[in-house]
Amino acid sequence: SAHAASSRLKVSGTCFLLQMLIIILFAAFVRYSPDASPGLCSPQLNCSSRKNPGSGSYYPRSRNVCLQTLMGFGFLMVFLGRSSVRSVAACLLVTAFAVQWALFIQGFIYSFRNGKIYMEAQSMVGADFCAAAVLVSVGAVLDWANPLQMLLLSLLEVPLFSANEYVLLHLMGVSDSGGSLTVHAFGAYFGLALSWFLRQHRADSGERPQDTGLPADALAAVGIACLWLFWPGFVSAAGAPAGAEPWAGLNTYVAMAAGTLATFVVSPLLREGSGPCTSQVQDATVAGAAAMGMAGEMLLAPFGALVAGFLAGLIPALSSRFLA
């Protein structure tokens, strides 16, 4: 139809304009940091305001965070059975733009020196964290927002996320290496506010699509596997103290395990059938792991992570029963 063709042209034109804008901004301001190897950054440049022990050591971390963002968070968005494939495509669109925009915005905040932004491996970690927060927000509107609205969401949320992160971590000194507060809480509340605002201006008020079939369940299972593989690295990637990094990863693993088991404890009591649906299992996995984003590096014994993960894992099943 004419309306569908017009919508496609709007999305195509917006993507083109945004990408051209990013290219121009990068050409004018962004350069690779001279301290990519130890000792190459001159004192005059002071090219990284974040005190890192060497950017090269961050490549494995940035890889894990990138995989977690694309595959873990991306496949979490397929709980909408009637539009699971479209959901994955929308998440890739949002991630592709949000990462580029975050590299530029966060570069101005953290590594703008002598008129240039100096990019390094840790810059990609921060950008992926920002993209993850945007994906959390997208989950609140994914089933009825169009791609153009999601791009505008990313355009607005990335600067707000970066400002919030800077205030919390650098001005207030909050310890949140895994993003429980800066990524998950911020993304959730931003998405809820956006959902409320857009619904006030929405002409139709149809039902939200639900998890209705195997394709969504199968893709969600892939997302769960990715969470287990990459989330422990996600928690420790943003700068957990050197001695606490193993604790952060191990606490995340045991919290995810306890959260998953909690779902199988409470879900059969609340719904008919043999067990919880895949979306509830993935939500419990996220809940247990997200709780470790702030606390993972602080817990010195695993039983605390087990208790926190189990309690967090109860929330998705209870909320789907009493709040949906």
Side-chain angles (χ1 to χ4, degrees):
S1 65
H3 177 72
S6 176
S7 298
R8 290 196 300 269
L9 287 176
K10 288 181 181 179
V11 172
S12 176
T14 302
C15 290
F16 177 78
L17 291 176
L18 289 175
Q19 186 63 73
M20 291 304 102
L21 174 64
I22 293 292
I23 290 174
I24 292 171
L25 291 174
F26 269 57
F29 294 103
V30 180
R31 301 291 183 271
Y32 283 120
S33 173
D35 69 344
S37 297
L40 292 184
C41 184
S42 66
Q44 291 78 15
L45 281 175
N46 188 21
C47 52
S48 177
S49 61
R50 297 183 180 184
K51 295 176 175 57
N52 297 327
S55 299
S57 63
Y58 279 101
Y59 175 71
R61 297 187 185 186
S62 64
R63 179 187 58 202
N64 288 339
V65 174
C66 183
L67 290 170
Q68 163 72 356
T69 302
L70 287 172
M71 302 182 69
F73 285 105
F75 283 114
L76 286 180
M77 304 300 179
V78 301
F79 53 86
L80 307 171
R82 286 183 290 173
S83 57
S84 58
V85 176
R86 186 185 70 86
S87 300
V88 174
C91 290
L92 290 174
L93 169 66
V94 169
T95 302
F97 173 68
V99 165
Q100 297 179 70
W101 186 224
L103 283 171
F104 181 76
I105 294 296
Q106 293 187 335
F108 260 114
I109 296 176
Y110 295 113
S111 56
F112 185 73
R113 297 291 184 273
N114 301 325
K116 299 296 180 184
I117 295 170
Y118 291 95
M119 179 179 160
E120 54 190 0
Q122 180 67 2
S123 303
M124 184 58 72
V125 174
D128 282 323
F129 267 66
C130 184
V134 176
L135 288 174
V136 172
S137 301
V138 164
V141 298
L142 182 62
D143 58 335
W144 47 269
N146 59 52
L148 185 59
Q149 290 172 324
M150 294 183 196
L151 285 172
L152 295 177
L153 177 156
S154 304
L155 188 67
L156 175 63
E157 185 171 359
V158 167
L160 294 177
F161 169 89
S162 302
N164 179 70
E165 180 190 56
Y166 181 79
V167 170
L168 289 176
L169 302 186
H170 295 269
L171 298 185
M172 299 178 62
V174 174
S175 178
D176 186 32
S177 63
S180 289
L181 186 60
T182 56
V183 175
H184 301 289
F186 179 86
Y189 284 114
F190 190 94
L192 287 173
L194 180 72
S195 175
W196 176 84
F197 176 79
L198 291 179
R199 280 186 180 277
Q200 306 308 309
H201 300 79
R202 192 182 178 207
D204 59 310
S205 57
E207 292 293 325
R208 292 171 62 95
Q210 299 296 319
D211 185 3
T212 58
L214 179 61
D217 286 344
L219 291 174
V222 174
I224 294 173
C226 293
L227 293 179
W228 281 83
L229 287 172
F230 304 122
W231 201 308
F234 183 88
V235 168
S236 59
E245 187 175 333
W247 294 336
L250 291 172
N251 284 333
T252 303
Y253 273 122
V254 298
M256 287 192 293
T260 300
L261 193 60
T263 305
F264 286 90
V265 171
V266 69
S267 184
L269 304 178
L270 301 177
R271 64 191 296 269
E272 297 180 359
S274 58
C277 61
T278 308
S279 62
Q280 288 182 344
V281 176
Q282 72 176 16
D283 288 344
T285 305
V286 171
M292 293 298 102
M294 179 174 286
E297 66 184 58
M298 304 177 187
L299 297 172
L300 306 183
F303 77 90
L306 288 169
V307 172
F310 184 82
L311 294 177
L314 296 174
I315 295 174
L318 293 173
S319 64
S320 67
R321 172 63 177 84
F322 297 107
L323 298 180

